[in-house]
Amino acid sequence: MINFLYYQCRFAIPVWLVLLITSILPDNRYSIRVRGGAVSLFLKGRPKRFRLGRDVTLLGLNQLKIGSNVYLAKGCWLNALGGIAIESDVQFGPYVVAVSTKHTLLAGSVSRGSTIFEPVFIGSGSWVASHVTISAGSFVPKGSIVGANSVFNGVFKNPGFYAGCPAKLIKSWS
């Protein structure tokens, strides 16, 4: 119970309040800096030059690690309960979903199954285009691009352009 209260007071409620108050601001280069700067005060490591669009959902804030100069566009949804690490200079397009949990079946039902937690890693200098889903246990290599509407699932080593459902390497930079 104490851990729950600590999490709510240290992370969830302050970030929710900042997002609520700044939700009236339009998404422009000034307000995304203000919103990101205010939210970064409550994140681990206090990321520098964090920019944040409107309507972003951040879950598991105590398991979220963000580097400097990161941008999360409008409508992104991050579930970091299993851990999400976003290195520096990463850009997310609108409505990206990154989730570090998986559901299992029990007696033929997902609602009866348990949850598996697996970390997500996004390497520095990467760009994740709009409407991409990054699944639990995924590793996006440094300097990669993930094409729009892709489902990125797995551990890839080579930086390059990934696209598709499921995403696969289309062009390698190395």
Side-chain angles (χ1 to χ4, degrees), residues 31-167:
S31 61
I32 63 174
R33 290 178 188 158
V34 167
R35 191 178 295 116
V39 167
S40 72
L41 296 173
F42 303 101
L43 297 178
K44 286 186 173 181
R46 296 208 173 143
K48 306 290 186 260
R49 295 178 308 282
F50 181 47
R51 293 167 291 141
L52 196 59
R54 286 189 308 171
D55 305 323
V56 171
T57 301
L58 303 171
L59 305 171
L61 292 160
N62 57 335
Q63 300 297 320
L64 180 63
K65 295 182 181 101
I66 297 178
S68 61
N69 198 34
V70 169
Y71 173 56
L72 303 179
K74 178 181 174 51
C76 288
W77 191 85
L78 278 65
N79 176 345
L81 294 173
I84 293 179
I86 302 171
E87 289 193 329
S88 297
D89 302 314
V90 172
Q91 311 291 312
F92 277 28
Y95 304 103
V96 170
V97 173
V99 59
S100 60
T101 59
K102 291 182 181 179
H103 300 286
T104 61
L105 287 172
L106 180 63
S109 174
V110 173
S111 65
R112 293 185 188 132
S114 61
T115 302
I116 298 171
F117 300 93
E118 294 181 355
V120 169
F121 175 83
I122 297 132
S124 65
S126 295
W127 173 35
V128 181
S130 67
H131 297 278
V132 168
T133 298
I134 301 174
S135 299
S138 294
F139 182 96
V140 178
K142 175 181 177 179
S144 292
I145 297 172
V146 182
N149 301 308
S150 297
V151 176
F152 196 95
N153 185 12
V155 176
F156 295 92
K157 301 292 182 197
N158 297 328
F161 175 63
Y162 292 86
C165 184

